[in-house]
Amino acid sequence: MGLYATLQVIWWLLLGVLLMGLAVMVGMDMGVGAILRYVGRTDLERRVALNIIGPHWDGNQVWFVLGGGAIFAAFPLLYATAFSGLYMVMLLLLWTMIMRPLGFEYRSQIERPAWRNAWDWVLFVSGAVPMIVFGAVVGNLFRGVPFHFEWDLTSFYTGGLLGLLNPFALLTGVLALSLAAMMGALRVMNGAEGALFQRARAVVQRAAGAAIVLFAIGGFWVHAMPGYRLVGSPGPGVPQTPLQQSVVRIPGAWLTNFGVHPLLWLAPLAGFGGMAGAWLAARADRSHLGWWLGALAWIGVIGTAGAALFPFMLPSSADPSMSLTLWNASSSKDTLLWMAGFAAVFVPLILWYTSWAFWVMRGKVSAEKIARDEHAY
Amino acid sequence: MINGTVVDLSRVQFAATALYHFLFVPLTLGLSFLLAAMETVYVTTGKPIYKQMAQFWGKLFMINFALGVATGLTMEFQFGTNWSFYSGFVGDIFGAPLAIEGLMAFFMESTFVGLMVFGWERLSKGQHLAVTWLVAFGSNLSALWILVANGFMQDPVGATFDPVTMRMQLTSFQKLIFSPDVQSKFVHTSIAGYVTAAVFVTGVSAFYLLRERHVPLAKRSLRMAALFGVLATIGVITLGDALGFVAARVQPTKLAAMEGLWKAQSAPMPFNLIAFPSQSAQKNYGMVQVPDLLSLLVTHSLDGTVLGIDALERQAQRRIERGIPAVQALRVLARDPTNAAALARFAAHRRDLGYGFLLQRYAPNVSQATPAQVRAAARGAIPPVAAVFWSFRVMVGLGLLMLAFFVLAALYSLRNTVQSKRWFLKAAVWMIPVPFLANECGWLVAELGRQPWTVFDVLPTWMSASRHSVAYMVFSLIGFFGLYSIFIVIELYLLVRAIRLGPAEPGGHGMLAGPTVPAAAYGAKAQG
Amino acid sequence: MRTFLYFLLFMVLAVVVTILAAILGAEGAWYFAWLIGTAMLVLISAAGGALLDAQEASAAAGRGPS
């Protein structure tokens, strides 16, 4: 494999890592938002829950921004085609996500119950909706998205407004939401005591149970679904456009990669194992262990999707031969190389100072202290 | 063929969301360094009032920061959602700085901002100070990488068009980040943020001095902001001059529009202080001129000249004619990437490809373009003169106003008599909106002056937009206007409220002194 | 010994910073100016605050204890 093809695979893997970071870190904060009204019955309980993620949500959200930036830099044609094609879905995502920072920062500035109640609803919507959208978008990748290109690579989206809200996408959307709720609840358990802790534990168990069922149904569904297969292309590591390949749709094709490389079955196994492990850990009140097992579940689920779709990034249902793969959507060799250099330096640095920040703020969040603290949310 | 209304609506949406985002960013850029300055004094002298200052201004910083982060999310994705052809065409170069911004800067800023707010009791003094400094550097490094990306749109160096992949590709990363336009624009923008924050802190401090509240805190804040502001304003003006010098070389059409220069003039060129440019008549009405000044400003010499719009239009026309074969060759290459004749023809005309694209708007099939269409395209290569001309003058005028303001503020503050100059304190409160207006005007000069291109000389704006329907665009515009209007009302309400309540006085009353209700009652109250 | 190690560490840092500054000064003069200028702005503004403390202290001393 040449340098260019290697870089393309590295960036495909790095994108996977970023999506896992996004799912684990942003998903956890969104999960807290989604379950806030349920686990926190009093204002103080809700404030405790918010202050558990308070010092970190801002840093965590950068996984989302970086995910967007990395797709733009490493797979520009994917960024261009997917985000414009999924316009309405992206608006739904953006409009709910931009409310979230305000929910965190502004909610506790004023004591009036109506004010706080309104922001609690904002946090619920801005937690639940984006996670469903994330999941639904990935679900749609399996079905293909109706788009095609003109001679100069102008992309056209030919689907309707609601075509993206099909049953399979809703299933993956709810799966993402339940994993987020599970992680959010585990995070609340890490920092909370008393009734809040107990309710969060109940959420973990219900959400993990739901995730196991949904992931299993999704697996059977994909098994019978028509998948995409690349039958002719200029090949990996060759500069190309999506106008130069041929792709066919074959029922069950999404499982081809698992047949060729049986080791890939470890990914769904990690998914199920992580979900079940988180359930058991929550039962035993070992929420820190549960959180790491929950992260493993995310890695397994996203790894499963990636392993099934490879080398496709955005299959086209309108004209399968114009599907985007990592070979035809990636940046040039120079860009990928420079970006790899930056990632090699800064990703470890980010992991280091993020862990330091969590370590500094470790421990239980005390309700007494929040009530006194002028900086608290 | 793309619908012109869709392009216009996409432009309105981008401009509105970018201008809105840019209301909050400059304050973050500057206030973060002022916080660092205040906390540095606290750590070195140990005087608690500086901690109180850092915490109070930190509170206002966070109210503003939240909205900056929120609206930044829109910007990160809007290139893909609304400018998809642009994103695919230059993403190989343009995407990289955005991703590096996340990796190097935004992550740092956002992670440490959490510790800055929540870490007062968990970190040592030195650690907390380091965290504040990292937030300041992080936010400004973010601006650096965003402006590297923007600089590429203004002066696309370090990239070339590849007919195989049908897009611009990176050739030199060094050229990209060290381009003169990027460098001067970054420093200009970053320090404009410092000025914004300095005016804000001066104005709010003046508000307290007028009411004789929190006087020691207000006097110290005013002193620090005045010194910070006077130096920063000098820097902004210097860098503005450097940017004009760069534009004279790389973006002559922008410069001609900024100066309302319809016809070439002999050296030394006069400066149009006031004029009312008319795009249709191609001339200015009601001019007031300053002799020799333009040559001095843009070429730094008395015998320098720059091209007028008439000459630039003729230049554009020649480049359009040379761009036609480039587009024709590209259409062949799209079907047959190895066609040797087309490759040779393309190589001979690749420099003018963008001008060929420009013609496509007036003549969809460039092979059959009439001379009238070529002339129309050449005329279309000139930005909207009046808007650029006046945005530029408003920006410069406000900049000079702020310089005078800060010289006075520094003088009064250094003499320690500022609290008795009530007229000045009142003026200082009214100055608060001025830097925000100047920032917005600066954005308009830079981005309107770049028209009709998204990437100067390379990609026309009308080609860059996503192919949405008018209905989609109307829907999203209404959504953004609605949401953003609600946001700004809430933000201003909270900001004004926090300013009115004032900082927490040790042992006194103030919003930040903490709630008077005990924790248990607090929880019970919300249950109802 | 401890002091000496710190000295070595800071010397190494100083050399690295000098080399980086030399490169940045050649390729990116405005970037370099920004770095130096920002540090200067912050320090002058901080010094201004400390100066105000000194001015008020000496004014209070001039009036004598009240």
Side-chain angles (χ1 to χ4, degrees):
Chain A
M1 206 158 57
L3 175 62
Y4 188 28
T6 312
L7 283 167
Q8 287 174 319
V9 173
I10 286 177
W11 270 99
W12 184 82
L13 290 170
L14 265 176
L15 191 61
V17 171
L18 285 178
L19 289 181
M20 289 166 189
L22 164 71
V24 171
M25 307 299 274
V26 184
M28 146 176 87
D29 296 342
M30 289 187 165
V32 173
I35 63 172
L36 184 66
R37 297 186 62 86
Y38 173 74
V39 293
R41 300 289 160 86
T42 67
D43 180 60
L44 194 65
E45 282 177 354
R46 289 181 187 168
R47 291 188 71 194
V48 170
L50 287 177
N51 278 282
I52 291 169
I53 54 170
H56 309 296
W57 74 266
D58 211 334
N60 291 344
Q61 184 173 260
V62 184
W63 286 100
F64 174 71
V65 176
L66 189 55
I71 293 179
F72 200 173
F75 301 100
L77 207 51
L78 174 65
Y79 175 88
T81 312
F83 291 177
S84 62
L86 308 177
Y87 193 57
M88 285 295 157
V89 179
M90 285 302 295
L91 287 178
L92 191 61
L93 181 68
L94 275 176
W95 287 347
T96 49
M97 273 200 79
I98 55 181
M99 294 195 261
R100 216 167 60 101
L102 309 190
F104 285 118
E105 291 297 338
Y106 295 171
R107 177 194 182 278
S108 300
Q109 297 260 350
I110 292 179
E111 267 186 50
R112 214 174 303 136
W115 169 272
R116 293 195 168 174
N117 198 33
W119 285 114
D120 289 344
W121 279 112
V122 166
L123 285 166
F124 168 74
V125 170
S126 64
V129 174
M131 285 319 293
I132 294 178
V133 172
F134 286 142
V137 167
V138 176
N140 272 301
L141 297 186
F142 284 86
R143 295 170 45 97
V145 174
F147 71 89
H148 66 270
F149 293 103
E150 267 192 356
W151 71 275
D152 60 358
L153 298 185
T154 307
S155 68
F156 288 86
Y157 176 77
T158 49
L161 197 59
L162 299 172
L164 296 169
L165 294 179
N166 49 71
F168 183 71
L170 286 179
L171 174 97
T172 50
V174 178
L175 170 62
L177 178 62
S178 45
L179 283 173
M182 177 183 92
M183 290 297 279
L186 282 161
R187 179 71 185 135
V188 170
M189 284 175 76
N190 283 347
E193 291 161 318
L196 190 56
F197 180 92
Q198 297 300 335
R199 279 185 226 117
R201 185 172 66 181
V203 171
V204 175
Q205 296 188 318
R206 267 177 252 163
I212 291 172
V213 173
L214 293 168
F215 192 42
I217 297 176
F220 282 111
W221 203 321
V222 167
H223 176 75
M225 188 186 275
Y228 291 67
R229 185 179 293 163
L230 196 59
V231 288
S233 95
V238 179
Q240 58 189 289
T241 68
L243 308 178
Q244 296 151 0
Q245 65 185 3
S246 43
V247 171
V248 292
R249 297 185 73 176
I250 302 172
W254 289 134
L255 295 183
T256 314
N257 287 341
F258 292 93
V260 180
H261 305 285
L263 268 182
L264 292 176
W265 286 109
L266 284 175
L269 205 63
F272 282 118
M275 294 169 201
W279 190 88
L280 289 171
R283 214 172 74 131
D285 287 347
R286 306 269 313 268
S287 61
H288 285 274
L289 175 68
W291 189 89
W292 285 104
L293 288 167
L296 179 69
W298 264 124
I299 292 170
V301 170
I302 294 176
T304 306
L309 291 169
F310 186 93
F312 289 97
M313 304 198 89
L314 186 69
S316 166
S317 56
D319 184 349
S321 289
M322 290 188 179
S323 296
L324 295 182
T325 66
L326 72 151
W327 316 124
N328 65 26
S330 87
S331 283
S332 66
K333 189 171 78 180
D334 279 5
T335 302
L336 291 182
L337 194 59
W338 272 102
M339 292 298 304
F342 275 95
V345 174
F346 286 102
V347 170
L349 208 59
I350 288 166
L351 294 178
W352 173 65
Y353 61 61
T354 302
S355 338
W356 184 70
F358 273 93
W359 184 78
V360 167
M361 301 306 301
R362 70 195 177 278
K364 298 283 179 189
V365 170
S366 127
E368 299 290 311
K369 224 165 168 184
I370 289 174
R372 270 187 291 109
D373 187 357
E374 63 198 49
H375 306 297
Y377 282 145
Chain B
M1 193 58 192
I2 184 165
N3 182 337
T5 314
V6 172
V7 180
D8 290 341
L9 292 175
S10 303
R11 287 183 64 195
V12 169
Q13 182 171 311
F14 193 91
T17 51
L19 283 168
Y20 189 89
H21 179 57
F22 201 52
L23 282 175
F24 310 103
V25 172
L27 191 59
T28 301
L29 296 181
L31 200 51
S32 57
F33 271 116
L34 268 172
L35 292 179
M38 291 167 185
E39 203 177 331
T40 303
V41 186
Y42 167 60
V43 172
T44 47
T45 67
K47 292 207 168 84
I49 188 161
Y50 290 99
K51 182 179 179 185
Q52 195 196 349
M53 277 160 66
Q55 291 191 338
F56 170 64
W57 295 110
K59 176 110 186 164
L60 301 186
F61 175 86
M62 287 311 293
I63 292 176
N64 173 69
F65 186 77
L67 212 40
V69 169
T71 54
L73 291 174
T74 308
M75 303 318 296
E76 180 87 12
F77 290 87
Q78 197 160 201
F79 298 104
T81 53
N82 290 83
W83 301 93
S84 66
F85 188 81
Y86 169 87
S87 302
F89 193 77
V90 295
D92 193 61
I93 308 106
F94 189 86
L98 294 194
I100 296 170
E101 185 254 357
L103 278 171
M104 182 193 260
F106 196 41
F107 240 118
M108 180 162 107
E109 177 190 10
S110 302
T111 304
F112 289 118
V113 92
L115 288 183
M116 187 175 94
V117 176
F118 288 86
W120 283 102
E121 287 169 19
R122 298 232 179 182
L123 296 167
S124 72
K125 271 187 186 178
Q127 281 175 329
H128 195 279
L129 178 65
V131 162
T132 306
W133 273 92
L134 285 173
V135 171
F137 270 109
S139 60
N140 279 272
L141 278 179
S142 273
L144 168 69
W145 288 106
I146 298 303
L147 290 166
V148 168
N150 180 268
F152 176 77
M153 301 168 80
Q154 313 285 351
D155 181 18
V157 290
T160 185
F161 185 84
D162 183 345
V164 176
T165 50
M166 304 281 281
R167 65 178 179 198
M168 297 293 286
Q169 290 194 169
L170 184 72
T171 52
S172 165
F173 193 72
Q174 298 92 309
K175 272 195 187 154
L176 182 68
I177 57 174
F178 288 119
S179 117
D181 185 85
V182 171
Q183 287 198 40
S184 39
K185 183 160 285 153
F186 161 63
V187 183
H188 184 65
T189 311
S190 157
I191 320 186
Y194 301 178
V195 176
T196 308
V199 173
F200 179 76
V201 172
T202 309
V204 174
S205 304
F207 171 78
Y208 290 137
L209 289 178
L210 276 172
R211 309 217 163 174
E212 290 173 12
R213 291 171 53 191
H214 319 291
V215 171
L217 178 139
K219 269 166 78 176
R220 277 162 186 76
S221 304
L222 195 146
R223 163 70 63 87
M224 294 184 69
L227 291 178
F228 195 76
V230 73
L231 296 173
T233 313
I234 294 170
V236 169
I237 295 171
T238 314
L239 265 299
D241 172 68
L243 258 178
F245 194 71
V246 173
R249 193 173 55 78
V250 300
Q251 288 182 301
T253 47
K254 178 190 279 182
L255 189 85
M258 275 160 68
E259 304 300 355
L261 208 60
W262 294 105
K263 298 210 166 16
Q265 312 215 352
S266 54
M269 301 180 292
F271 177 78
N272 293 330
L273 192 63
I274 299 175
F276 298 93
S278 156
Q279 199 98 9
S280 52
Q282 302 255 304
K283 62 186 275 201
N284 296 328
Y285 294 103
M287 279 192 289
V288 176
Q289 292 189 318
V290 182
D292 305 353
L293 185 61
L294 184 57
S295 284
L296 270 180
L297 280 176
V298 299
T299 65
H300 293 181
S301 82
L302 268 180
D303 41 52
T305 57
V306 288
L307 293 179
I309 286 169
D310 55 348
L312 291 168
E313 269 191 34
R314 284 196 297 276
Q315 218 174 57
Q317 194 169 333
R318 283 196 296 279
R319 292 194 71 177
I320 289 167
E321 282 154 6
R322 288 199 300 263
I324 293 171
V327 174
Q328 288 168 331
L330 199 62
R331 277 180 174 267
V332 177
L333 288 173
R335 286 194 310 273
D336 178 8
T338 53
N339 185 313
L343 275 173
R345 196 151 177 245
F346 182 78
H349 294 92
R350 71 180 338 149
R351 276 195 58 242
D352 297 309
L353 176 66
Y355 282 85
F357 284 153
L358 196 61
L359 179 61
Q360 282 189 320
R361 177 179 183 182
Y362 302 87
N365 183 353
V366 293
S367 309
Q368 291 160 5
T370 63
Q373 285 169 329
V374 172
R375 274 199 304 279
R379 181 141 294 190
I382 304 299
V385 177
V388 178
F389 181 90
W390 277 109
S391 305
F392 177 64
R393 266 150 196 74
V394 172
M395 173 184 75
V396 172
L398 295 179
L400 295 174
L401 173 68
M402 286 187 279
L403 181 64
F405 169 72
F406 276 124
V407 168
L408 217 53
L411 202 68
Y412 287 153
S413 172
L414 283 172
R415 284 195 194 144
N416 204 3
T417 56
V418 69
Q419 60 276 28
S420 59
K421 308 279 191 251
R422 291 189 68 83
W423 72 270
F424 177 78
L425 296 175
K426 278 180 192 155
V429 177
W430 285 104
M431 282 295 286
I432 292 177
V434 167
F436 294 92
L437 188 59
N439 293 333
E440 303 285 278
C441 285
W443 187 89
L444 287 173
V445 174
E447 313 307 330
L448 277 181
R450 193 193 61 226
Q451 299 305 326
W453 308 97
T454 41
V455 180
F456 195 76
D457 277 0
V458 170
L459 183 66
T461 307
W462 74 274
M463 255 179 100
S464 308
S466 302
R467 267 53 175 177
H468 293 310
S469 64
V470 174
Y472 269 33
M473 286 311 304
V474 169
F475 174 75
S476 63
L477 254 175
I478 291 174
F480 275 113
F481 271 116
L483 267 183
Y484 278 22
S485 307
I486 298 171
F487 287 174
I488 192 105
V489 170
I490 296 172
E491 200 250 6
L492 285 177
Y493 169 69
L494 287 177
L495 206 57
V496 170
R497 181 175 174 275
I499 291 170
R500 281 185 189 282
L501 287 169
E505 293 293 351
H509 45 59
M511 162 189 61
L512 306 181
T516 43
V517 198
Y522 211 33
K525 214 168 60 174
Q527 264 178 329
Chain C
M1 190 58 200
R2 203 178 132 85
T3 315
F4 179 68
L5 285 178
Y6 266 109
F7 170 75
L8 273 188
L9 177 71
F10 284 122
M11 274 313 284
V12 170
L13 272 178
V15 171
V16 170
V17 167
T18 312
I19 293 170
L20 284 180
I23 297 170
L24 199 60
E27 289 283 318
W30 280 125
Y31 291 152
F32 190 63
W34 176 80
L35 262 179
I36 302 292
T38 298
M40 190 188 76
L41 249 66
V42 170
L43 292 181
I44 288 180
S45 139
L51 180 65
L52 183 60
D53 290 336
Q55 278 172 310
E56 302 221 310
S58 83
R63 272 200 311 287
S66 50

